[in-house]
Amino acid sequence: MGQVQEANGRLEDLHRLRDGYLRNVSHEFRSPLTVIRGYAEFVRDQGVPADSSLPDVMGVMLDSCDQMIDMVDTLLEVSRIEQGETSRRLDVRPVALDEVVDTALASVRGLAEKKEARIDISFPKDPLRVTGDSSLLAHAFRHLLSNALKYGPARGTVFIRAEAREGQAVLEVEDQGIGISPEHLPRIFEKFYVADAGLDRRRGGAGVGLYLAREIVRLHRGSIEARSQPGHGSVFRVSLPEPEPAPASEAST
Ligand code: ADP
């Protein structure tokens, strides 16, 4: 018994070490990346001959930097959430779901333009409210939207639908993309899980976006699920409890 306890204790120490290491490495990555990004922007914006390919090359460098910075930020957010899942003080208040979606949309606007994608939004007339931390929720939706764009076709449509259902605010993000095969579907919310681990993973990231989205939704006592028809697209559904007519102080527990 004592040996088992000791082994468990050591395992926990190892997990803590690993998480700390991940957080430190992420931090360390971020600084040089932002420096490279800054210089790439500087070079791109220098006056260069019109026939030079330099602006295009620098544009690609900038995009890659943004992608890496985004991945690092996601890893940092994951570690913050895992660290303080029980102790983190969420900035919980009633928030309008359409405003949270707007914030998330603003951060994927560039990606949508690049893909020439259309965003079709359908919200009920009466504003939907949830109780939560709007910035964290926007983070979660941002990952769903950026996946819908990443894995969706060029000039496709991403549908965002929301409705109130049995005391829940239900939000769906639907794309017309490559879809997810049944063997991968049950695992896509796992940390570091990537459905297509082939060499051509230009679209994919580190496999933490959906994990983070699920953790954030869980922190809000909600649920998230995905359904998909390979080759025809995917639908991600988030259900969050609508605010109860209870004193605001109860909401932060
Ligand atoms: P990644 O950063 O690799 O996109 P995620 O955690 O966001 O990681 O997603 C996990 C995996 O689920 C992805 O690697 C991808 O294969 C699959 N996936 C996620 N969203 C979609 C989508 N909308 N359409 C198709 N596949 C998806």
Side-chain angles (χ1 to χ4, degrees):
M1 189 64 181
Q3 273 179 336
V4 174
Q5 264 172 357
E6 200 187 327
N8 278 342
R10 252 193 263 141
L11 256 181
E12 273 172 28
D13 286 347
L14 270 177
H15 277 304
R16 259 195 300 278
L17 258 176
R18 187 202 59 185
D19 291 344
Y21 177 74
L22 193 66
R23 199 170 47 258
N24 289 341
V25 168
S26 305
H27 265 299
E28 297 305 319
F29 261 122
R30 210 180 187 290
S31 319
L33 267 173
T34 46
V35 173
I36 296 169
R37 194 194 183 287
Y39 278 111
E41 201 167 26
F42 172 76
V43 174
R44 185 198 57 187
D45 296 341
Q46 294 294 301
V48 286
D51 61 347
S52 166
S53 59
L54 197 60
D56 288 343
V57 172
M58 298 322 283
V60 173
M61 270 183 77
L62 279 167
D63 281 353
S64 303
C65 283
D66 285 341
Q67 236 175 306
M68 285 180 77
I69 291 171
D70 192 53
M71 271 154 70
V72 168
D73 284 345
T74 301
L75 284 175
L76 284 171
E77 194 63 38
V78 165
S79 113
R80 256 179 239 132
I81 285 197
E82 286 184 341
Q83 276 256 308
E85 194 163 2
T86 47
S87 61
R88 184 190 157 115
R89 288 203 68 78
L90 296 178
D91 182 14
V92 173
R93 57 185 79 201
V95 289
L97 201 60
D98 53 352
E99 282 172 21
V100 181
V101 169
D102 274 351
T103 308
L105 266 175
S107 60
V108 295
R109 203 56 83 190
L111 188 54
E113 275 167 20
K114 208 178 285 173
K115 290 282 277 236
E116 295 178 50
R118 212 168 68 82
I119 311 273
D120 181 298
I121 304 179
S122 153
F123 269 79
K125 265 206 223 89
D126 290 335
L128 275 177
R129 292 193 155 266
V130 294
T131 311
D133 183 314
S134 60
S135 116
L136 272 186
L137 287 173
H139 248 297
F141 295 151
R142 179 171 71 87
H143 284 292
L144 299 186
L145 293 172
S146 76
N147 279 350
L149 290 163
K150 262 193 313 188
Y151 300 106
R155 286 177 291 282
T157 304
V158 171
F159 297 90
I160 304 173
R161 290 182 292 268
E163 64 170 342
R165 199 184 296 165
E166 294 162 7
Q168 303 266 309
V170 178
L171 179 113
E172 286 192 341
V173 176
E174 176 172 355
D175 65 66
Q176 307 170 310
I178 54 174
I180 305 156
S181 57
E183 75 260 32
H184 291 305
L185 202 55
R187 301 196 58 191
I188 51 172
F189 294 100
E190 290 174 21
K191 186 156 60 166
F192 300 129
Y193 191 81
V194 292
D196 167 21
L199 284 178
D200 182 20
R201 276 200 41 83
R202 273 171 300 159
R203 294 195 246 207
V208 282
L210 287 181
Y211 167 77
L212 182 64
R214 187 188 60 180
E215 291 307 297
I216 291 173
V217 170
R218 279 185 175 168
L219 275 178
H220 288 82
R221 299 187 189 140
S223 61
I224 182 168
E225 58 194 27
R227 55 183 198 276
S228 179
Q229 237 191 320
H232 294 279
S234 315
V235 183
F236 286 81
R237 175 187 289 177
V238 174
S239 306
L240 292 163
E242 286 194 290
E244 289 171 22
S249 58
E250 278 184 22
S252 61
T253 55

